[in-house]
Amino acid sequence: MNQAIAIVLGAVCGVVGAIPSAVLFERANKRGTNHNVSVGAGLASTLVSFLLLSAAIYVAHLKAPAYEASFVIATVVAFLVVWGIESIRGLRAAQGSASPGGKDE
């Protein structure tokens, strides 16, 4: 395995690790729908994400210790990019409820 493969696999693992919580966030972010998101579902998605990312980093540590740092950095960056995008979408959804005239009525 070379460093480029470690980086690509790390990025893929970071995105896959962000999916459980991102799906839950998207369900909660939909307007006009009745998708109730519970605290238990949020905790479960966080736990699944943590276990998945921990397992991926452990496997990278076992299989390719020379490229572990590259893998971990790519994983963290990809995870944070997904959540950066989701946070911008959430911010826009939260600000979208104001009236166009600038005054809430």
Side-chain angles (χ1 to χ4, degrees):
M1 174 187 290
N2 61 18
Q3 189 170 7
I5 294 173
I7 291 171
V8 169
L9 288 176
V12 169
C13 287
V15 171
V16 170
I19 287 176
S21 298
V23 168
L24 200 61
F25 179 78
E26 287 297 325
R27 281 183 52 204
N29 202 22
K30 287 192 188 252
R31 286 192 191 179
T33 59
N34 211 5
H35 293 307
N36 293 332
V37 179
S38 67
V39 172
L43 288 173
S45 71
T46 302
L47 184 63
V48 166
S49 178
F50 172 75
L51 291 175
L52 185 97
L53 292 173
S54 296
I57 291 170
Y58 183 67
V59 168
H61 172 72
L62 291 178
K63 297 292 183 184
Y67 302 113
E68 181 182 8
S70 300
F71 179 86
V72 171
I73 290 169
T75 302
V76 170
V77 167
F79 183 85
L80 292 176
V81 164
V82 169
W83 276 107
I85 293 168
E86 290 295 329
S87 67
I88 291 170
R89 290 174 48 84
L91 181 64
R92 286 187 179 167
Q95 292 177 342
S97 61
S99 67
K103 295 182 179 179
D104 292 332
E105 294 181 20

